[in-house]
């Protein structure tokens, strides 16, 4: 069976992105690997073995066009409203809290926040299938 181990996104500014993911989600650099034309930075935390790989292409100065195919990353937290307030205080500009119901029952409680490159991250209350 395949095991999901990481997701990769291209970022323009390593320091800015590492700072955002540290503040927003408690991720820290697990590994950093330099190549001639790019650098790979693997971010993780003790909560999961899944990693976020940041790819920084050396010499790139223009922001990436995210296009219309990119969806989002998702993380789950114990208290989504508390997390949203924490991010507001940090100036990270989280979106509104959304309650999604199905068949009269709560399916998901969440908000989105965007990283410095415009990637959306969904922050979900741990509930149902989002444990």
């Amino acid at each position: 069976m395949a095991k999901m181990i990481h997701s990769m996104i291209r970022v323009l500014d390593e320091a800015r992105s590492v700072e955002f993911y540290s503040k927003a989600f408690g991720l820290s650099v697990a590994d950093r690997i330099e190549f001639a034309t790019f650098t790979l930075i693997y971010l993780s935390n003790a909560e999961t073995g899944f990693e976020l790989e940041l790819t920084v292409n050396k010499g790139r100065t223009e922001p990436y066009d995210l296009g219309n195919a990119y969806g989002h990353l998702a993380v789950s937290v114990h208290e989504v409203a508390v997390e949203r307030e924490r991010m507001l205080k940090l100036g990270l500009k989280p979106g509104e809290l959304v309650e999604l119901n199905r068949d009269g029952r709560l399916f998901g409680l969440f908000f989105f926040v965007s990283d410095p490159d415009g990637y959306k991250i969904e922050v979900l209350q741990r509930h149902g299938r989002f444990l």
Side-chain angles (χ1 to χ4, degrees), residues 1 8 16-18 32 35 38-39 42-43 47 53 60 62 67 69 73 76 88 102 107 111 119-120 122 129:
M1 297 294 282
M8 183 279 283
R16 182 179 70 169
S17 293
V18 168
R32 186 178 187 285
F35 292 90
F38 62 95
T39 303
Y42 294 91
L43 304 177
E47 192 73 23
E53 175 188 297
R60 173 114 185 168
E62 294 296 316
L73 297 172
S76 66
L88 273 171
R102 185 166 187 250
F107 177 75
F111 67 88
Y119 293 104
K120 292 188 181 292
E122 182 179 21
R129 75 174 325 276

Side-chain angles (χ1 to χ4, degrees), residues 10-115:
R10 298 184 192 286
V11 300
L12 196 58
D13 183 313
E14 176 181 347
R16 182 179 70 169
S17 293
V18 168
E19 179 183 15
F20 170 83
Y21 284 100
S22 174
K23 279 183 180 178
F25 305 111
L27 298 178
S28 60
V29 176
D31 206 356
R32 186 178 187 285
I33 304 164
E34 285 274 341
F35 292 90
T37 59
F38 62 95
T39 303
L40 303 177
I41 302 102
Y42 294 91
L43 304 177
S44 65
N45 66 25
E47 192 73 23
T48 179
F50 192 80
E51 293 182 317
L52 178 61
E53 175 188 297
L54 306 179
T55 297
V56 180
N57 290 309
K58 295 178 181 178
R60 173 114 185 168
T61 58
E62 294 296 316
Y64 288 96
D65 177 6
L66 301 185
N68 62 1
Y70 175 77
H72 62 267
L73 297 172
V75 301
S76 66
V77 298
H78 289 289
E79 295 293 335
V80 72
V82 172
E83 271 304 294
R84 185 177 175 281
E85 285 302 313
R86 185 185 70 81
M87 288 187 190
L88 273 171
K89 289 177 184 171
L90 289 171
L92 299 179
K93 301 178 185 168
E96 294 299 318
L97 197 56
V98 175
E99 182 176 314
L100 183 61
N101 293 294
R102 185 166 187 250
D103 299 327
R105 295 187 350 205
L106 179 65
F107 177 75
L109 185 61
F110 61 92
F111 67 88
F112 282 91
V113 63
S114 295
D115 84 352

